[in-house]
Amino acid sequence: MRIPFIAGNWKMYKTSAEAAAFAVAFKELYHDTDVKAAICAPFTQLETLVKAFEGTGIGVGAQNVHFEKEGAYTGEISAGMLQEIGVDYCIVGHSERRQYFGETDETVNCKLKTLLPTGIIPILCVGEVLEEREAGREQEVVRSQVMKAFEGIEGTDAEKVVIAYEPVWAIGTGRTASPQQANDMCGFIRTVLEDLYDDVISDRVVIQYGGSVKPENATEIMNMEEIDGALVGGASLDALKFSEIINF
Ligand code: PEP
Protein backbone atom coordinates (compact mmCIF):
# COMPACT_ATOMS: atom_id res chain seq x y z
CA MET A 1 0.00 0.00 0.00
CA ARG A 2 1.56 3.26 -1.11
CA ILE A 3 0.87 6.23 1.16
CA PRO A 4 0.32 9.52 -0.69
CA PHE A 5 3.33 11.76 -0.25
CA ILE A 6 3.44 15.47 -0.97
CA ALA A 7 6.73 17.34 -0.65
CA GLY A 8 7.48 21.02 -0.95
CA ASN A 9 10.60 22.30 -2.69
CA TRP A 10 11.48 25.74 -1.42
CA LYS A 11 14.38 26.15 -3.88
CA MET A 12 16.49 29.18 -2.80
CA TYR A 13 13.72 30.93 -0.89
CA LYS A 14 13.14 31.74 2.81
CA THR A 15 15.46 32.91 5.55
CA SER A 16 15.65 31.04 8.88
CA ALA A 17 13.17 33.46 10.43
CA GLU A 18 10.77 32.91 7.54
CA ALA A 19 11.22 29.14 7.78
CA ALA A 20 10.46 29.21 11.51
CA ALA A 21 7.32 31.29 10.89
CA PHE A 22 6.22 28.87 8.17
CA ALA A 23 6.70 25.92 10.55
CA VAL A 24 4.49 27.51 13.23
CA ALA A 25 1.74 28.21 10.72
CA PHE A 26 1.98 24.86 8.93
CA LYS A 27 1.92 22.79 12.11
CA GLU A 28 -1.42 24.40 12.96
CA LEU A 29 -2.81 23.43 9.55
CA TYR A 30 -1.38 19.90 9.23
CA HIS A 31 -3.21 17.32 11.29
CA ASP A 32 -5.13 14.08 11.04
CA THR A 33 -4.20 13.44 7.47
CA ASP A 34 -3.43 10.20 5.66
CA VAL A 35 -1.02 12.10 3.44
CA LYS A 36 2.70 12.28 4.30
CA ALA A 37 4.22 15.72 3.97
CA ALA A 38 7.74 17.10 3.84
CA ILE A 39 9.52 20.36 3.14
CA CYS A 40 12.78 20.37 1.19
CA ALA A 41 14.55 23.53 2.25
CA PRO A 42 17.89 25.28 1.70
CA PHE A 43 20.71 23.72 3.77
CA THR A 44 20.80 26.54 6.31
CA GLN A 45 17.12 26.11 7.17
CA LEU A 46 17.20 22.33 7.68
CA GLU A 47 18.05 22.24 11.39
CA THR A 48 15.41 24.85 12.18
CA LEU A 49 12.78 22.74 10.42
CA VAL A 50 13.92 19.42 11.90
CA LYS A 51 13.52 20.92 15.39
CA ALA A 52 10.26 22.67 14.59
CA PHE A 53 8.64 19.54 13.08
CA GLU A 54 9.83 17.09 15.74
CA GLY A 55 6.98 14.77 16.74
CA THR A 56 4.62 16.07 14.05
CA GLY A 57 5.27 13.50 11.34
CA ILE A 58 6.21 16.27 8.90
CA GLY A 59 9.44 15.35 7.14
CA VAL A 60 12.38 17.55 6.22
CA GLY A 61 14.42 17.22 3.05
CA ALA A 62 17.53 18.72 1.50
CA GLN A 63 17.63 19.73 -2.15
CA ASN A 64 21.06 18.34 -3.02
CA VAL A 65 23.96 16.30 -1.63
CA HIS A 66 27.51 15.48 -2.71
CA PHE A 67 28.13 11.87 -3.68
CA GLU A 68 31.41 11.46 -1.80
CA LYS A 69 31.42 10.72 1.93
CA GLU A 70 33.93 13.52 2.63
CA GLY A 71 36.84 15.26 0.96
CA ALA A 72 38.20 18.44 -0.56
CA TYR A 73 34.92 19.56 -2.16
CA THR A 74 34.57 23.19 -1.15
CA GLY A 75 30.99 24.27 -0.72
CA GLU A 76 29.52 20.78 -0.71
CA ILE A 77 27.50 18.85 1.89
CA SER A 78 27.66 15.07 2.45
CA ALA A 79 24.88 12.58 3.14
CA GLY A 80 26.41 11.92 6.57
CA MET A 81 26.14 15.61 7.44
CA LEU A 82 22.46 15.59 6.49
CA GLN A 83 21.88 12.37 8.43
CA GLU A 84 23.53 13.84 11.53
CA ILE A 85 21.00 16.66 11.75
CA GLY A 86 17.99 14.38 11.20
CA VAL A 87 17.11 15.04 7.56
CA ASP A 88 14.60 12.51 6.13
CA TYR A 89 14.69 13.17 2.37
CA CYS A 90 16.93 14.61 -0.30
CA ILE A 91 15.95 15.77 -3.77
CA VAL A 92 18.30 14.39 -6.43
CA GLY A 93 18.52 15.39 -10.07
CA HIS A 94 16.10 18.32 -10.00
CA SER A 95 15.96 19.84 -13.49
CA GLU A 96 17.34 23.14 -12.16
CA ARG A 97 20.43 21.30 -10.95
CA ARG A 98 20.70 19.42 -14.24
CA GLN A 99 20.32 22.70 -16.16
CA TYR A 100 22.46 25.12 -14.10
CA PHE A 101 24.85 23.00 -12.01
CA GLY A 102 26.02 20.21 -14.28
CA GLU A 103 24.02 17.39 -12.67
CA THR A 104 24.12 14.33 -14.92
CA ASP A 105 22.53 10.91 -14.89
CA GLU A 106 25.87 9.59 -13.64
CA THR A 107 26.09 11.97 -10.65
CA VAL A 108 22.43 11.27 -9.90
CA ASN A 109 23.23 7.56 -9.73
CA CYS A 110 26.19 8.22 -7.39
CA LYS A 111 24.00 10.41 -5.17
CA LEU A 112 21.34 7.71 -4.82
CA LYS A 113 24.10 5.28 -3.86
CA THR A 114 25.49 7.61 -1.20
CA LEU A 115 22.07 8.44 0.29
CA LEU A 116 20.49 4.99 0.51
CA PRO A 117 22.82 3.50 3.16
CA THR A 118 22.17 6.52 5.42
CA GLY A 119 18.40 5.97 5.48
CA ILE A 120 17.76 9.35 3.83
CA ILE A 121 15.12 8.82 1.17
CA PRO A 122 16.08 10.19 -2.24
CA ILE A 123 13.40 12.06 -4.20
CA LEU A 124 14.65 11.39 -7.72
CA CYS A 125 13.48 13.94 -10.30
CA VAL A 126 13.10 12.93 -13.93
CA GLY A 127 11.39 14.64 -16.82
CA GLU A 128 11.69 15.75 -20.40
CA VAL A 129 12.17 19.25 -21.82
CA LEU A 130 9.59 20.78 -24.16
CA GLU A 131 11.44 20.00 -27.39
CA GLU A 132 11.67 16.35 -26.37
CA ARG A 133 7.92 16.16 -25.72
CA GLU A 134 7.17 17.98 -28.97
CA ALA A 135 9.33 15.44 -30.78
CA GLY A 136 7.40 12.59 -29.10
CA ARG A 137 10.55 11.48 -27.25
CA GLU A 138 9.33 11.93 -23.67
CA GLN A 139 9.13 8.23 -22.81
CA GLU A 140 12.54 7.49 -24.31
CA VAL A 141 14.10 10.34 -22.30
CA VAL A 142 12.46 9.44 -19.01
CA ARG A 143 13.17 5.73 -19.44
CA SER A 144 16.85 6.49 -19.96
CA GLN A 145 16.98 8.82 -16.90
CA VAL A 146 15.35 6.16 -14.69
CA MET A 147 17.52 3.30 -15.97
CA LYS A 148 20.73 5.27 -15.45
CA ALA A 149 19.68 6.54 -12.01
CA PHE A 150 19.08 2.99 -10.74
CA GLU A 151 22.15 1.39 -12.31
CA GLY A 152 23.79 -0.97 -9.78
CA ILE A 153 21.08 -0.43 -7.14
CA GLU A 154 19.46 -3.51 -5.59
CA GLY A 155 15.69 -3.85 -5.61
CA THR A 156 15.47 -3.68 -1.79
CA ASP A 157 17.05 -0.21 -1.98
CA ALA A 158 15.27 0.86 -5.17
CA GLU A 159 11.85 0.44 -3.59
CA LYS A 160 12.68 3.12 -1.01
CA VAL A 161 13.34 5.81 -3.63
CA VAL A 162 10.57 8.31 -4.35
CA ILE A 163 10.42 9.31 -8.02
CA ALA A 164 9.09 12.72 -9.05
CA TYR A 165 8.04 13.01 -12.68
CA GLU A 166 8.62 16.68 -13.43
CA PRO A 167 8.22 17.69 -17.07
CA VAL A 168 10.70 20.57 -17.28
CA TRP A 169 8.27 22.67 -19.32
CA ALA A 170 5.79 22.61 -16.41
CA ILE A 171 8.15 23.73 -13.63
CA GLY A 172 7.58 27.26 -12.40
CA THR A 173 5.84 28.11 -15.65
CA GLY A 174 2.23 27.91 -14.50
CA ARG A 175 1.80 25.41 -17.32
CA THR A 176 0.73 22.09 -15.80
CA ALA A 177 0.88 18.78 -17.62
CA SER A 178 -2.68 17.58 -18.06
CA PRO A 179 -3.66 15.07 -15.37
CA GLN A 180 -3.78 12.45 -18.13
CA GLN A 181 -0.26 13.28 -19.39
CA ALA A 182 1.07 13.16 -15.82
CA ASN A 183 -0.76 9.92 -15.09
CA ASP A 184 0.45 8.28 -18.28
CA MET A 185 4.09 9.07 -17.54
CA CYS A 186 3.86 7.97 -13.89
CA GLY A 187 2.36 4.68 -15.12
CA PHE A 188 5.11 4.39 -17.71
CA ILE A 189 7.80 4.92 -15.05
CA ARG A 190 6.30 2.03 -13.09
CA THR A 191 6.62 -0.25 -16.14
CA VAL A 192 10.29 0.78 -16.48
CA LEU A 193 10.82 -0.20 -12.83
CA GLU A 194 9.05 -3.48 -13.47
CA ASP A 195 11.44 -4.20 -16.35
CA LEU A 196 14.43 -3.24 -14.19
CA TYR A 197 13.30 -5.17 -11.09
CA ASP A 198 9.90 -6.89 -10.81
CA ASP A 199 6.25 -6.05 -10.22
CA VAL A 200 6.52 -6.33 -6.42
CA ILE A 201 9.25 -3.70 -6.27
CA SER A 202 7.73 -1.46 -8.92
CA ASP A 203 4.44 -1.57 -7.04
CA ARG A 204 6.07 -0.24 -3.86
CA VAL A 205 7.74 2.83 -5.36
CA VAL A 206 6.00 6.13 -4.68
CA ILE A 207 5.76 8.21 -7.88
CA GLN A 208 4.94 11.90 -7.63
CA TYR A 209 4.04 14.45 -10.25
CA GLY A 210 5.64 17.90 -10.08
CA GLY A 211 5.07 21.02 -12.15
CA SER A 212 2.88 23.97 -11.16
CA VAL A 213 0.80 22.00 -8.65
CA LYS A 214 -1.44 24.35 -6.68
CA PRO A 215 -4.60 24.09 -4.54
CA GLU A 216 -6.78 24.57 -7.65
CA ASN A 217 -5.42 21.51 -9.50
CA ALA A 218 -4.25 19.26 -6.65
CA THR A 219 -7.45 17.22 -6.33
CA GLU A 220 -7.59 16.30 -9.99
CA ILE A 221 -3.90 15.39 -10.09
CA MET A 222 -3.93 13.43 -6.83
CA ASN A 223 -7.02 11.48 -7.85
CA MET A 224 -5.28 10.02 -10.90
CA GLU A 225 -4.67 6.33 -10.46
CA GLU A 226 -0.92 6.22 -11.16
CA ILE A 227 0.00 9.37 -9.22
CA ASP A 228 0.96 8.84 -5.58
CA GLY A 229 1.91 12.35 -4.64
CA ALA A 230 3.30 15.68 -5.69
CA LEU A 231 6.51 17.70 -5.58
CA VAL A 232 5.42 21.29 -5.15
CA GLY A 233 7.64 24.31 -5.77
CA GLY A 234 6.09 27.77 -5.69
CA ALA A 235 2.89 26.84 -3.85
CA SER A 236 4.83 25.21 -0.99
CA LEU A 237 6.19 28.58 0.12
CA ASP A 238 2.80 29.51 1.52
CA ALA A 239 1.69 27.43 4.54
CA LEU A 240 -2.00 27.81 3.75
CA LYS A 241 -1.65 26.90 0.07
CA PHE A 242 0.60 23.94 0.86
CA SER A 243 -1.84 22.66 3.49
CA GLU A 244 -4.70 23.01 1.00
CA ILE A 245 -2.73 20.85 -1.45
CA ILE A 246 -2.14 18.26 1.27
CA ASN A 247 -5.84 18.23 2.16
CA PHE A 248 -6.67 17.88 -1.54
C1 PEP B 1 9.70 22.14 -8.42
O1 PEP B 1 10.45 23.03 -8.09
O2 PEP B 1 10.03 20.95 -8.29
C2 PEP B 1 8.39 22.49 -8.97
C3 PEP B 1 7.59 21.53 -9.38
O3 PEP B 1 8.08 23.83 -9.03
P1 PEP B 1 6.64 24.50 -9.32
O4 PEP B 1 5.63 23.75 -8.48
O5 PEP B 1 6.79 25.91 -8.90
O6 PEP B 1 6.35 24.32 -10.77
Side-chain angles (χ1 to χ4, degrees):
M1 242 297 271
R2 298 187 299 268
I3 300 170
F5 174 43
I6 299 182
N9 172 21
W10 279 358
K11 311 188 189 222
M12 198 174 70
Y13 291 103
K14 288 202 192 290
T15 62
S16 290
E18 288 165 346
F22 176 99
V24 171
F26 186 60
K27 278 194 290 187
E28 283 294 310
L29 297 161
Y30 177 85
H31 38 76
D32 285 343
T33 170
D34 296 330
V35 178
K36 278 205 280 183
I39 293 290
C40 301
F43 289 127
T44 52
Q45 271 54 275
L46 294 174
E47 262 194 287
T48 301
L49 291 182
V50 167
K51 285 185 188 133
F53 290 151
E54 209 179 324
T56 62
I58 304 165
V60 176
Q63 300 170 6
N64 186 33
V65 67
H66 195 273
F67 51 80
E68 293 290 353
K69 282 198 171 74
E70 62 180 3
Y73 299 106
T74 302
E76 293 294 322
I77 301 276
S78 72
M81 292 168 187
L82 297 175
Q83 181 187 31
E84 184 188 28
I85 61 165
V87 165
D88 309 290
Y89 301 95
C90 183
I91 296 175
V92 176
H94 192 279
S95 61
E96 287 154 14
R97 296 217 61 88
R98 292 181 193 255
Q99 187 180 350
Y100 304 125
F101 302 103
E103 189 84 276
T104 64
D105 290 329
E106 288 68 35
T107 56
V108 164
N109 176 249
C110 293
K111 289 177 182 192
L112 293 193
K113 286 176 177 161
T114 204
L115 285 167
L116 285 162
T118 68
I120 296 173
I121 297 173
I123 302 177
L124 163 68
C125 298
V126 295
E128 79 286 358
V129 299
L130 188 58
E131 300 79 69
E132 291 164 340
R133 176 157 286 264
E134 284 175 347
R137 294 185 51 232
E138 66 274 13
Q139 288 196 347
E140 175 198 330
V141 169
V142 170
R143 166 183 272 273
S144 164
Q145 289 173 338
V146 171
M147 305 248 309
K148 288 179 180 160
F150 283 97
E151 217 169 275
I153 294 177
E154 296 290 325
T156 45
D157 274 335
E159 67 182 38
K160 297 174 193 149
V161 176
V162 172
I163 301 181
Y165 167 55
E166 299 211 312
V168 181
W169 45 273
I171 297 178
T173 57
R175 182 176 167 179
T176 326
S178 73
Q180 195 58 53
Q181 284 172 322
N183 191 66
D184 288 351
M185 187 60 91
C186 291
F188 174 72
I189 291 170
R190 207 172 293 290
T191 65
V192 175
L193 293 171
E194 199 175 322
D195 291 347
L196 271 178
Y197 299 101
D198 57 41
D199 58 343
V200 176
I201 296 210
S202 71
D203 200 47
R204 289 188 179 145
V205 174
V206 170
I207 305 180
Q208 304 173 318
Y209 164 74
S212 300
V213 175
K214 38 190 184 279
E216 298 76 32
N217 58 23
T219 310
E220 207 184 351
I221 290 166
M222 288 300 299
N223 283 339
M224 299 304 287
E225 192 164 337
E226 303 286 350
I227 301 178
D228 305 321
L231 184 56
V232 184
S236 72
L237 293 166
D238 182 290
L240 182 59
K241 280 191 189 160
F242 191 51
S243 70
E244 283 171 0
I245 292 173
I246 283 163
N247 297 322
F248 61 90

